Amino acid sequence: MDRETIKQYLDQTEKHLATSDKLVEDQKALIALLEERGRDTARSKATLAHLEEMRRLHVADRHRLLQALRELGE
């Protein structure tokens, strides 16, 4: 993969990571609200686990892309 392609993927990954951060934050707030109201949070917590896993994958992608740039001398 060439440097420009890696940079494009890195930019896209950074955007995905920012979105993931926001989704995780919002889901945690939703769970807190549901708990405050005495509601069942099982499905919301399952969704949170999924969102956190997706975020972890975005972080891994960013790390892999940054490593690829370093190997190209960037």
Side-chain angles (χ1 to χ4, degrees):
M1 200 171 350
D2 64 74
R3 179 176 284 116
E4 189 56 38
T5 301
I6 294 170
K7 286 182 177 183
Q8 288 173 357
Y9 284 141
L10 183 57
D11 183 53
Q12 186 177 34
T13 299
E14 292 289 353
K15 290 175 185 174
H16 288 306
L17 188 52
T19 300
S20 292
D21 288 343
K22 177 74 169 112
L23 289 170
V24 167
E25 178 184 318
D26 290 349
Q27 193 67 18
K28 286 180 179 180
L30 174 62
I31 291 168
L33 179 64
L34 291 172
E35 286 176 343
E36 179 182 300
R37 294 181 178 180
R39 307 296 290 273
D40 180 26
T41 59
R43 293 177 85 187
S44 296
K45 287 180 178 179
T47 299
L48 176 59
H50 175 74
L51 292 170
E52 289 175 330
E53 176 62 14
M54 294 306 297
R55 185 188 182 287
R56 187 191 67 74
L57 293 172
H58 293 312
V59 169
D61 281 345
R62 180 178 59 187
H63 177 75
R64 178 182 55 81
L65 291 165
L66 288 171
Q67 181 62 34
L69 282 177
R70 281 191 290 272
E71 290 172 5
L72 289 174
E74 184 104 355

